[in-house]
Amino acid sequence: MNFRNKKHKPLEISLTPMIDVVFLLLIFFMVTTTFSRQSTIKVVLPQADGQQTEQQQQAVILTIDKAGLYFIDDKPLSDKSLGTLARELSASRKDRNIPLIINADAAAPVQSAISVLDVASKIGFSNITFATQKQE
């Protein structure tokens, strides 16, 4: 009988194959996953809780309707071009510090409002505000 204690070799677990499998799974899931860019935030504009200002009798009021048409002091512009908008805004501006109030419809294209901001800042309007209605 052989009762000698045999020396056992320490077991080695190689992690390399396991890491390879994990990386392959990671690559597989990255390739097969579809990324959605849909926004789940519903935004209703323009409503705000703010104080009403008394500067409206001295302001230039620019209105943007649902179709993206521009109106300056309730007079429609002849077309939607930015050149016409710039001419009419500079003609209606008498004082350098007069505010520009933008009345944009909630369903108006955002690009129309951005274009108005861009043109107004190029002309020299420094006091630009958006008119909103009080939240119910």
Side-chain angles (χ1 to χ4, degrees), residues 52-61 99 101 103 131:
Q52 194 172 21
T53 60
E54 296 296 326
Q55 298 177 351
Q56 285 192 354
Q57 67 260 18
Q58 301 174 2
V60 176
I61 298 174
I101 299 174
N103 290 328

Side-chain angles (χ1 to χ4, degrees), residues 88-131:
E88 293 292 330
L89 274 178
S90 59
S92 66
R93 183 175 166 235
K94 299 160 187 81
D95 185 10
R96 187 170 188 89
N97 295 325
I98 193 166
L100 174 66
I101 299 174
I102 301 173
N103 290 328
D105 191 299
V110 175
Q111 183 60 47
S112 299
I114 298 299
S115 299
V116 167
L117 286 173
D118 189 31
V119 169
S121 65
K122 285 181 184 174
I123 291 173
F125 280 96
S126 59
N127 188 0
I128 303 171
T129 59
F130 279 92

Side-chain angles (χ1 to χ4, degrees), residues 26-89:
L26 180 68
I27 290 171
F28 172 76
F29 286 121
M30 285 175 47
V31 170
T32 59
T33 302
T34 58
F35 295 101
S36 177
R37 290 185 172 241
Q38 295 176 354
S39 177
T40 58
I41 300 171
K42 304 271 189 243
V43 178
V44 179
L45 293 176
Q47 292 184 355
D49 257 344
Q51 296 179 0
Q52 194 172 21
T53 60
E54 296 296 326
Q55 298 177 351
Q56 285 192 354
Q57 67 260 18
Q58 301 174 2
V60 176
I61 298 174
L62 189 136
T63 306
I64 305 171
D65 71 350
K66 204 185 295 188
L69 299 174
Y70 304 115
F71 300 86
I72 296 178
D73 293 334
D74 295 331
K75 290 180 242 168
L77 269 62
S78 59
D79 60 294
K80 290 172 58 171
S81 72
L82 297 179
T84 305
L85 177 64
R87 271 195 319 275
E88 293 292 330
L89 274 178

